[in-house]
Amino acid sequence: MKAPQLLYSGTITLALLAAAWMAGCASPRDPPPAELSPQPLAALRQSRPPAAGSGQPKVALVLGGGGLRGFAHLGALHALEEAGIAPDIVVGTSVGALVGAAYASGLSPRQIESIARGVKLSSLIDLTFSTRGLMRGHNIARWMDEITAGVPIANFPRRFAAVATDLRSGQAMLLDQGTAGAAVQASAAVPGVNLPVAYPGGHLVDGGIASLVPVRFARAMGADLVIAVDVYCSGPGGDGLAAPSVLLRAIRAQSCLMAAAELAEADIAISPPISVSGMSAKDEQERAIQIGYEATMAALPRARALIKAAGP
């Protein structure tokens, strides 16, 4: 589902990184800064308007990062749609930002699934030989803007934000202005694989480094009830002992340990147990969608009860 993280698997990633460094290619000049205005969590909390105190609760859907495991997010969207649960706020990290942006822009789960099935993942890869990374990320940004018809995030029917990580400070940063393409490109900029995305205050990389499942940002945006979907940490993490496998298993373990506390703050935490081998095969993608659907369906009774209890 998310092309940049196709290279985030095993030997291919390490081999390509090694080739780039051995080539000793000069880094390109920084592209013009993206029109992004990242906000740290503390600033967002300070600017949050006071609660209205009446009416229906604001429901946020939070979609976590996880590369091609993000097909499970499509199953989650299908289940919520069937249940008549329409989130007011959508926040996503990495592949969750990609799926979330498409959904918040007004596309239905069926439309998003059709788009995902139809895209050639190779068309989203734009290689560059640089000491900063292997992919520019421009193709995925253009594709995202095509999907969302170039509508600015601020004009989406549902309030949306992507989460990226500021490279200098290491802080998670909210992106809720500008184009969906630039926001998703930054949120999905895997370090060492994708070039960092420049903005006027620095550079942004994958949001999963600082906020894999951005529950706290959803709260700061005004959510009364948060439904979070983690597609990365619940499934098997692999068992290989080759160096690339050990490295990826260690990265996953560290990421999931850091993410656990934030995920626990969600009112409903959905964790589809996805076993990943390659996820490029259609049957694996279908299975991931089904697992996401089943995990969300299992959580619906509690979600309905919480929404009812929080209502007027």
Side-chain angles (χ1 to χ4, degrees):
M1 182 65 183
K2 181 163 82 70
Q5 287 203 8
L6 287 175
L7 301 180
Y8 207 24
S9 56
T11 307
I12 295 177
T13 298
L14 297 179
L16 288 174
L17 284 171
W21 280 99
M22 289 174 64
C25 297
S27 295
R29 293 180 179 178
D30 271 337
E35 293 183 3
L36 296 170
S37 301
Q39 298 182 71
L41 183 60
L44 190 67
R45 283 172 170 164
Q46 290 177 357
S47 64
R48 177 180 175 176
S54 63
Q56 291 295 326
K58 286 189 176 181
V59 178
L61 175 63
V62 175
L63 302 177
L68 290 174
R69 295 173 180 85
F71 274 95
H73 286 321
L74 300 178
L77 292 180
H78 283 304
L80 292 173
E81 182 181 54
E82 288 182 12
I85 297 176
D88 305 286
I89 299 167
V90 181
V91 188
T93 289
S94 203
V95 69
L98 189 156
V99 175
Y103 181 56
S105 75
L107 295 175
S108 71
R110 291 290 178 195
Q111 288 173 312
I112 299 169
E113 185 176 334
S114 176
I115 291 168
R117 294 179 190 281
V119 68
K120 292 184 178 180
L121 295 177
S122 60
S123 70
L124 304 182
I125 297 173
D126 48 359
L127 294 176
T128 181
F129 289 99
S130 163
T131 55
R132 299 180 186 179
L134 300 173
M135 291 171 47
R136 296 181 181 88
H138 295 165
N139 284 6
I140 196 168
R142 282 193 289 267
W143 180 64
M144 195 73 247
D145 284 336
E146 289 175 6
I147 291 173
T148 57
V151 175
I153 291 172
N155 294 340
F156 281 1
R158 287 190 175 92
R159 189 174 178 194
F160 170 74
V163 174
T165 302
D166 182 82
L167 189 57
R168 183 183 296 261
S169 69
Q171 286 191 83
M173 306 291 277
L174 187 92
L175 306 172
D176 63 353
Q177 301 292 323
T179 66
V184 169
Q185 179 185 1
S187 183
V190 179
V193 177
N194 298 78
L195 299 182
V197 175
Y199 76 100
H203 293 82
L204 298 169
V205 293
D206 197 299
I209 296 169
S211 186
L212 182 65
V213 188
V215 172
R216 290 168 186 159
F217 276 109
R219 294 279 189 211
M221 291 172 70
D224 300 303
L225 189 145
V226 176
I227 301 171
V229 185
D230 165 37
V231 297
Y232 188 57
C233 296
S234 60
D239 56 6
L241 292 177
S245 178
V246 169
L247 176 60
L248 291 174
R249 289 168 65 188
I251 291 171
R252 180 179 181 275
Q254 185 178 40
S255 296
C256 294
L257 283 171
M258 291 177 60
E262 184 169 10
L263 180 62
E265 295 176 16
D267 298 286
I268 302 290
I270 301 169
S271 299
I274 305 168
S275 177
V276 176
S277 55
M279 290 296 294
S280 58
K282 295 297 182 183
D283 60 336
E284 292 179 320
Q285 295 168 5
E286 291 280 356
R287 181 61 181 153
I289 293 171
Q290 184 63 26
I291 291 171
Y293 176 83
E294 292 170 356
T296 305
M297 289 295 291
L300 285 178
R302 176 166 167 75
R304 289 193 185 99
L306 288 175
I307 292 172
K308 183 177 180 180

